[in-house]
Amino acid sequence: MIGPFDLSVALGCEGDCRHPDLIAAVRRMIAAARAHRVPVMMPIFAPDLPETQRQVDAWRDEGVRAFT
């Protein structure tokens, strides 16, 4: 399970789950997990259903298969 909010704090972009550095780091984590056939789960932080669906679709395209 990837924790984008916690990771954003560690990267110095506190709470900005759209920050380019965070997105790049998450993509690297997903690629590493997929290379070792480890499933990836991602929490979605969104203010409404359309944004939730947009995020789910985008991360699913990256290889995430489970969401909270």
Side-chain angles (χ1 to χ4, degrees), residues 1-60:
M1 176 166 212
I2 295 174
F5 189 86
D6 293 341
L7 183 57
S8 75
V9 172
L11 293 173
C13 49
E14 291 82 6
D16 184 356
C17 290
R18 292 183 175 186
H19 193 282
D21 292 343
L22 176 72
I23 299 300
V26 169
R27 284 183 173 145
R28 287 191 304 272
M29 294 167 69
I30 292 168
R34 291 181 72 188
H36 295 280
R37 295 188 174 152
V38 175
V40 178
M41 179 182 286
M42 173 83 74
I44 298 297
F45 300 102
D48 56 39
L49 186 56
E51 178 60 16
T52 299
Q53 190 62 58
R54 187 199 67 73
Q55 289 185 34
V56 166
D57 291 344
W59 288 120
R60 185 172 285 135

